[in-house]
Amino acid sequence: SYTMEQENFVRKEIFMIQHYLDQALSYGQQFIYQGNVATYIPELANADKRVTGLCVLTKSGKCYSSGAAEEYFTIQSISKILNLAIALQTFGYNEVFGKVKLEPSGDAFNSIIKLDTDSHIPFNPMINSGAIVIVDFLQPRYSFEDILEFAKKLCMDDSLSLDESVYHSELLSGSRNRSIAYLLHSKGLIHDNIEEVIDLYFKLCSIRVSAKSLAGFGLILANDGTNPFTGEV
């Protein structure tokens, strides 16, 4: 019957998605020992690079995972997407992109070369200089707790929290980001509350998430900012 064919198709689809996730994780794990964990923040050097996981969440509510998909780690630069989403929702496209471009930088994420020599404003919000400008938009209006609650909704995960150890490690080792912030201030791109902006920036990078959390975040972004299960925008 048609119903039986449909059921068989769904079962095959579930099997294939899980199979490819397991296969991708297994393949990637072969190369773990060729790389190293980040050390520019001392606390990140303590991470176990063998702990890996993948997760896919669908609009129908099916969750597929492989490996340590529910193991928590700090969000780091993925926070830049979260911050940008809040800034765009609050201030609008024109105001936000009046202070940061939408162009590739061609340099390292924490470089200040082009900002100091080629451009008055950061090239995009995914490099540190652009991300700090975005946080400057947020800092006067939102507390860290406000943004954390927003992140919990976007990730569909109430367990998100601040990793205090990583946050304090960032505070102690964040000289380059402070330099970027003061350079931005000298160009009139961020306000006088420089240390408050940097403090919030470090906290946002130190939010604890899992692969499953980020799968929820990705699903909402892919669904035009709407939670497919609650209809909340």
Side-chain angles (χ1 to χ4, degrees):
S1 68
Y2 174 77
T3 303
M4 184 63 71
E5 288 179 358
Q6 188 177 43
E7 185 176 336
N8 288 337
F9 176 81
V10 170
R11 286 179 178 175
K12 183 178 179 182
E13 181 183 61
I14 291 171
F15 171 80
M16 292 305 294
I17 292 174
Q18 188 63 55
H19 170 73
Y20 285 125
L21 271 185
D22 292 340
Q23 192 177 55
L25 184 66
S26 178
Y27 178 78
Q29 285 174 331
Q30 299 176 56
F31 303 96
I32 287 173
Y33 295 98
Q34 295 183 19
N36 296 299
V37 297
T39 57
Y40 61 92
I41 299 167
E43 187 64 25
L44 296 185
N46 296 324
D48 184 351
K49 65 183 179 181
R50 297 169 299 176
V51 179
T52 52
L54 297 171
C55 187
V56 173
L57 187 61
T58 71
K59 286 176 66 175
S60 64
K62 290 186 175 62
C63 182
Y64 305 92
S65 64
S66 186
E70 297 190 41
E71 185 84 15
Y72 282 82
F73 54 91
T74 51
I75 193 169
Q76 294 301 320
S77 282
I78 301 173
S79 64
K80 294 170 180 174
I81 305 171
L82 169 68
N83 304 339
L84 178 61
I86 300 172
L88 288 171
Q89 181 172 293
T90 305
F91 301 99
Y93 179 94
N94 291 334
E95 188 169 349
V96 169
F97 286 107
K99 284 193 173 182
V100 61
K101 296 180 183 180
L102 273 171
E103 302 294 334
S105 69
D107 296 314
F109 68 97
N110 59 355
S111 174
I112 62 173
I113 295 174
K114 283 191 170 66
L115 180 63
D116 196 32
T117 59
D118 292 353
S119 176
H120 175 63
I121 64 176
F123 271 64
N124 63 73
M126 298 297 116
I127 56 175
N128 288 13
S129 57
I132 291 170
V133 169
I134 299 300
V135 173
D136 183 64
F137 274 105
L138 303 180
Q139 191 275 330
R141 185 171 296 200
Y142 298 108
S143 67
F144 169 73
E145 289 71 24
D146 293 333
I147 300 174
L148 180 61
E149 287 305 310
F150 191 87
K152 289 178 180 179
K153 289 183 179 180
L154 273 178
C155 292
M156 295 183 269
D157 184 354
D158 289 333
S159 297
L160 268 58
S161 62
L162 175 67
D163 188 313
E164 294 280 355
S165 296
V166 172
Y167 162 59
H168 289 294
S169 187
E170 296 220 27
L171 278 179
L172 293 172
S173 61
S175 298
R176 177 174 284 269
N177 284 322
R178 286 189 177 89
S179 299
I180 291 172
Y182 278 93
L183 178 57
L184 291 166
H185 180 261
S186 74
K187 292 173 173 286
L189 291 172
I190 67 173
H191 300 99
D192 293 333
N193 52 341
I194 303 170
E195 288 301 323
E196 290 86 351
V197 169
I198 284 297
D199 184 74
L200 180 58
Y201 178 78
F202 289 151
K203 282 183 175 176
L204 294 172
C205 289
S206 302
I207 293 174
R208 298 178 72 248
V209 296
S210 66
K212 186 176 180 180
S213 311
L214 296 180
F217 186 16
L219 174 60
I220 288 181
L221 291 179
N223 198 44
D224 293 328
T226 301
N227 185 317
F229 312 126
T230 65
E232 186 176 2
V233 178

